Amino acid sequence: MAIKAVFFDIDGTLLTDMKTVSKSTQEAIKSMKKQGILVGVATGRGPSFINRFMENLELDFAVSYNGQFIFTRDQILYQNQLPKSTIYKVIKYAGDKRREISLGTASGLVGSNIINMGTSRFGQIVSRIVPKRLTKTVERSFKHLIRRFIPQNRANLLTIMREPIFQIVLVATAGETDKIQEKFPQLKITRSSPYSADLIAKGQSKLVGIERVGRIFGFDLDEVMAFGDSDNDKEMLMGVGVGVAMGNATEELAAIATYRTSSNNHDGIAKALSHYGLIHIETDRTFTSSDDNFNKVKDFHQLMDGETCETPRTYGLIEAGHRADFKVEEIVEFLYAASNADQEEFTQAIANLHLAIDKAVKKVQNKPHPESPLVGEVDALVDLLYLTYGSFVLMGVDPKPLFDTVHEANMGKIFPDGQAHFDPVTHKILKPDDWEERFAPEPALKRELNRQIQKSLIRKASR
């Protein structure tokens, strides 16, 4: 399952609590874009708030207003206006309940003077530091506070609603969600703040928006990695290939995520992307190769073994034998696939392999070897690598996306606790229970090969 697109929620995810994008996140986005991975945001925020990040980070697209308004830096891809009759009913409801609202236009949220209290990071931070036993007390105090405000000017709201409206933000506590949903069954209620609710069209969501983007840019949901921190990110994290909960995420979100990383203030995005091999985090203790595939495998061994070798060394004969065993197994699988599962032809191919090994033994034993053991081992491995690339060339197959798929499948063997688990007897790497369902590479390899075949047919037809 190669990741072709990555989406970030904004508040509490892409942004730190200081409303900045950390240096590690900026570098991670640059690294992914160099690899051809598409990068965007999926948020309840409106276009005007997002635009600066689109430009500064050179993002490919934005799913804004929880899927109601989707755009790139160059064009609007999708927009879904709320019906005027529904907007009017919500405005009337808010006036009757003495609740302020904001209307989400193409330029941003307009209306309330206090709505930022509900949608700001301050409100979310307060909700996290308040002990659970005091939640009801805080909620009652909040309700009492907002009733003391002078009701909004309804005439002003009616003027604003003449514009296309894509989302309504209503000041309301989490405990009122069910009542509002019952009042407006034609709407969907989602929330990223304990003090406000986002009202969008039924059937819309961040996930639906991401799926729309995928149809345009050519990726499926299982080829998406998404990051979030709030309960309104649940559907998104559950519906994509890899759902990452930030360290500051709600416990409910963390429980359904594929993986939980560090917080938005502690390089959580970069650490998760490194965990899954989409980027490589450099440290003073390790070296980085210009070969990105090598760096990904190195990250895998760092997670599996706890450390990597940073100084060139030779393999001892026993260890070299183990590495050779791994390669021989893959060669046997290669021949089995080439035989098309014909047992007679496969048996003959293995017999020929034994003859080839005997021939190679004689050749190696009868030629001089002035090189050192280290040079000899490296020379043989580089030749293997070169021959492997040559095999792909002669097959007409681009190995990069296929390598990424296999790498992600291997990284999927890391358990939710961030550790590799081993069989206590054989020391074989164990796989999480859902590995076959979520990470087995064969379906993704088949899709990618079909894509490459179709692309080649289109090239031929255009000649």
Side-chain angles (χ1 to χ4, degrees):
M1 178 185 58
I3 296 298
K4 295 183 178 179
V6 175
F7 286 82
F8 304 112
D9 171 51
I10 291 185
D11 296 290
T13 302
L14 181 66
L15 300 182
T16 67
D17 288 349
M18 298 300 293
K19 297 297 183 185
T20 62
V21 180
S22 68
K23 178 81 172 190
S24 66
T25 298
Q26 294 178 44
E27 292 301 318
I29 291 173
K30 289 179 183 177
S31 176
M32 286 191 291
K33 290 184 69 64
K34 285 181 181 178
Q35 299 175 62
I37 298 172
L38 299 167
V39 184
V41 293
T43 175
R45 291 282 194 174
S48 62
F49 185 86
I50 299 169
N51 280 333
R52 58 186 175 185
F53 303 111
M54 293 288 287
E55 295 299 326
N56 295 340
L57 301 176
E58 297 184 357
L59 301 179
D60 295 294
F61 30 63
V63 175
S64 70
Y65 287 144
N66 293 297
Q68 292 272 101
F69 193 97
I70 304 172
F71 61 101
T72 68
R73 281 176 284 159
D74 303 314
Q75 61 180 318
I76 297 171
L77 301 178
Y78 174 82
Q79 51 184 319
N80 184 48
Q81 300 180 36
L82 293 175
K84 300 299 182 186
S85 59
T86 300
I87 299 169
Y88 178 77
K89 290 177 182 177
V90 177
I91 291 174
K92 185 176 185 304
Y93 173 84
D96 293 343
K97 299 293 183 180
R98 299 175 66 86
R99 298 299 172 85
E100 294 215 351
I101 66 173
S102 283
L103 304 179
T105 69
S107 58
L109 282 177
V110 187
S112 172
N113 292 321
I114 66 164
I115 203 76
N116 286 338
M117 177 178 172
T119 58
S120 71
R121 198 65 193 153
F122 170 76
Q124 297 184 26
I125 293 173
V126 168
S127 72
R128 286 179 183 142
I129 63 175
V130 172
K132 287 187 178 296
R133 67 179 184 277
L134 298 180
T135 300
K136 291 296 182 183
T137 301
V138 173
E139 185 171 310
R140 285 194 296 270
S141 299
F142 179 75
K143 289 180 180 178
H144 178 71
L145 173 66
I146 60 178
R147 289 192 186 103
R148 297 174 66 88
F149 282 94
I150 298 173
Q152 275 181 281
N153 185 328
R154 184 179 296 185
N156 185 42
L157 290 171
L158 295 177
T159 300
I160 296 170
M161 69 170 281
R162 293 174 184 171
E163 299 180 47
I165 303 299
F166 304 97
Q167 177 174 276
I168 303 171
V169 179
L170 172 67
V171 173
T173 62
E176 298 171 285
T177 301
D178 290 342
K179 289 182 179 179
I180 299 171
Q181 184 66 81
E182 184 178 348
K183 181 70 175 179
F184 300 102
Q186 71 274 41
L187 295 176
K188 179 176 181 177
I189 300 176
T190 182
R191 49 194 317 136
S192 58
S193 164
Y195 303 118
S196 65
D198 297 343
L199 281 61
I200 58 176
K202 196 170 185 179
Q204 299 280 29
S205 68
K206 292 182 180 182
L207 183 65
V208 172
I210 291 173
E211 190 172 26
R212 283 197 173 93
V213 175
R215 288 198 293 270
I216 297 171
F217 284 83
F219 58 81
D220 297 325
L221 286 177
D222 62 0
E223 296 172 317
V224 171
M225 179 183 290
F227 290 73
D229 72 308
S230 300
D231 289 346
N232 73 329
D233 296 316
K234 282 183 182 178
E235 182 183 352
M236 176 173 71
L237 265 58
M238 291 178 69
V240 299
V242 179
V244 179
M246 304 301 292
N248 50 289
T250 64
E251 291 305 317
E252 291 81 2
L253 187 69
I256 58 90
T258 311
Y259 179 73
R260 187 172 194 177
T261 186
S262 300
S263 76
N264 59 322
N265 295 323
H266 295 93
D267 304 317
I269 286 176
K271 289 177 181 177
L273 291 170
S274 175
H275 173 82
Y276 282 99
L278 271 68
I279 66 168
H280 178 77
I281 298 178
E282 297 185 31
T283 69
D284 294 335
R285 297 182 296 105
T286 64
F287 73 89
T288 301
S289 171
S290 58
D291 182 344
D292 191 55
N293 286 346
F294 172 88
N295 293 330
K296 290 180 177 180
V297 176
K298 188 173 183 181
D299 287 338
F300 172 76
H301 279 279
Q302 177 66 47
L303 285 168
M304 288 294 174
D305 305 330
E307 60 181 356
T308 52
C309 182
E310 301 303 318
T311 303
R313 68 173 182 90
T314 58
Y315 281 111
L317 188 56
I318 293 177
E319 189 179 8
H322 291 323
R323 303 308 302 179
D325 285 349
F326 300 150
K327 296 176 181 63
V328 167
E329 182 179 347
E330 300 307 323
I331 291 172
V332 171
E333 285 193 11
F334 176 73
L335 291 174
Y336 185 80
S339 72
N340 199 24
D342 184 304
Q343 293 302 316
E344 185 176 346
E345 290 191 2
F346 176 61
T347 300
Q348 184 58 53
I350 295 301
N352 293 339
L353 178 61
H354 283 292
L355 291 174
I357 291 173
D358 292 339
K359 181 180 177 181
V361 170
K362 291 180 180 179
K363 180 180 178 181
V364 169
Q365 289 177 333
N366 291 329
K367 75 174 184 178
H369 292 279
E371 72 275 7
S372 68
L374 178 60
V375 171
E377 288 183 3
V378 169
D379 179 55
L381 290 173
V382 170
D383 284 345
L384 275 172
L385 190 61
Y386 202 94
L387 288 168
T388 300
Y389 273 114
S391 298
F392 279 118
V393 169
L394 296 175
M395 292 176 78
V397 171
D398 176 7
K400 181 64 171 73
L402 304 169
F403 179 93
D404 290 344
T405 292
V406 171
H407 173 64
E408 287 164 24
N410 284 331
M411 295 298 278
K413 295 174 184 177
I414 303 296
F415 279 68
D417 61 5
Q419 303 295 318
H421 292 190
F422 300 90
D423 185 283
V425 178
T426 65
H427 204 61
K428 182 178 180 180
I429 296 174
L430 299 177
K431 300 174 182 176
D433 292 338
D434 62 351
W435 186 88
E436 289 291 340
E437 178 185 351
R438 299 184 68 93
F439 295 103
E442 288 80 9
L445 293 176
K446 182 178 180 180
R447 285 196 300 273
E448 174 58 26
L449 287 169
N450 286 337
R451 186 194 69 80
Q452 292 190 23
I453 290 170
Q454 291 301 317
K455 191 173 181 180
S456 71
L457 293 175
I458 293 172
R459 285 198 302 268
K460 289 180 180 178
S462 63
R463 289 176 184 172

